[in-house]
Amino acid sequence: MDRKVLRNLSYGVYVVTSKENDKKVGCIANSIMQVTSNPSTIAVSINHDNYTNKVIKENKKFGVSILKETSDSKIIGTFGFKTSKDNDKFKDVNFKEEDGIPVITDSCGYMICNVIDVMETKTHTIFLGEVTNADDYSDENPMTYKYYHEKLKGSSPKNAPTYEEKQDDDKKLDKKTKKWKCKICGYVYEGDTVPEDFVCPICGQPHTAFYEVED
Ligand code: FE
């Protein structure tokens, strides 16, 4: 079985959010699809280990913000590589609340959904959500997973359905310059050395978080 063929499936980059009393939670998801148009229904896959998964099950309501190519990549670092359990992920992010659910404003738009069904896999929960509210406020291109991967040189968060234990992307990069990889998010910096004042554009880690990767 050649699992590489799965990489040809298309994905976006989304922030899935919910609320537990006053606590706002959220995580990055790339596996979201519309499954029916009337009523508009989407399917969202969230890892069991994500705190947001537990909150959505309790609240039975969630939001999806569709990131765009120009969305601040720190949103991915904050929502994709930290846990909502111990962090206020919304602290440094522009958001607003719609129907009691926080949504990211630096995005193409959002959907608010009621959970109408849940299916469990070994590692992920698939939430079926009926869209009850939505807004589309940008003409810019939505961020695709391919764009994130190739242009921003990001990798999958460990809990993403598309995560693979061995990501051999380093081999595909230009061989002339040294490559340094962020141990938190997988962002690759190219250059002789990582400058001391360099901060990872995805997850905000300092230069000490980078290690050299071989071609
Ligand atoms: Fe990083």
Side-chain angles (χ1 to χ4, degrees):
M1 182 166 81
D2 188 352
R3 293 177 53 199
K4 283 204 301 298
V5 72
L6 292 166
R7 295 183 187 174
N8 295 303
L9 292 169
S10 302
Y11 300 92
V13 183
Y14 313 100
V15 185
V16 178
T17 49
S18 194
K19 211 167 170 192
E20 179 184 50
N21 301 316
D22 285 339
K23 184 178 172 65
K24 298 180 286 295
V25 303
C27 63
I28 294 289
N30 55 24
S31 301
I32 297 184
M33 63 186 285
Q34 181 172 0
V35 289
T36 69
S37 63
N38 192 17
S40 295
T41 308
I42 61 172
V44 179
S45 177
I46 306 282
N47 193 286
H48 292 156
D49 293 339
N50 277 111
Y51 191 75
T52 303
N53 184 319
K54 165 188 125 53
V55 174
I56 294 174
K57 278 177 184 154
E58 289 164 3
N59 191 337
K60 298 192 177 1
K61 197 169 170 181
F62 64 90
V64 174
S65 300
I66 302 168
L67 294 186
K68 51 187 182 180
E69 289 179 352
T70 57
S71 291
D72 187 348
S73 54
K74 282 190 186 127
I75 295 172
I76 302 174
T78 301
F79 284 87
F81 297 95
K82 294 176 180 173
T83 171
S84 287
K85 195 175 180 189
D86 312 314
N87 294 284
D88 177 5
K89 295 187 178 181
F90 294 82
K91 192 162 50 92
D92 300 316
V93 170
N94 291 327
F95 71 97
K96 60 178 181 174
E97 291 212 12
E98 291 291 335
D99 304 334
I101 299 292
V103 291
I104 308 296
T105 49
D106 183 13
S107 68
C108 293
Y110 67 85
M111 296 168 279
I112 304 294
C113 301
N114 283 335
V115 175
I116 56 170
D117 213 338
V118 169
M119 178 190 279
E120 296 295 349
T121 74
K122 215 170 185 178
T123 54
H124 289 69
T125 305
I126 298 161
F127 294 98
L128 266 193
E130 188 173 316
V131 180
T132 56
N133 187 2
D135 199 2
D136 178 10
Y137 36 63
S138 171
D139 291 331
E140 291 181 59
N141 289 336
M143 190 186 296
T144 60
Y145 182 70
K146 190 178 166 74
Y147 181 91
Y148 167 65
H149 200 61
E150 293 181 356
K151 297 283 197 297
L152 301 181
K153 297 192 169 70
S155 61
S156 294
K158 193 162 67 60
N159 289 343
T162 48
Y163 176 77
E164 290 177 35
E165 195 72 44
K166 290 177 190 163
Q167 295 187 348
D168 54 2
D169 311 320
D170 311 330
K171 293 175 188 163
K172 295 182 207 156
L173 297 172
D174 187 329
K175 289 186 177 170
K176 285 177 223 150
T177 48
K178 287 186 179 176
K179 281 101 192 170
W180 307 83
K181 193 166 190 171
C182 174
K183 66 184 175 191
I184 302 299
C185 74
Y187 176 84
V188 175
Y189 177 87
E190 296 186 27
D192 284 341
T193 182
V194 184
E196 283 192 12
D197 58 353
F198 186 76
V199 172
C200 177
I202 303 290
C203 71
Q205 290 292 309
H207 75 105
T208 48
F210 285 77
Y211 63 96
E212 190 174 357
V213 288
E214 299 294 323
D215 285 329

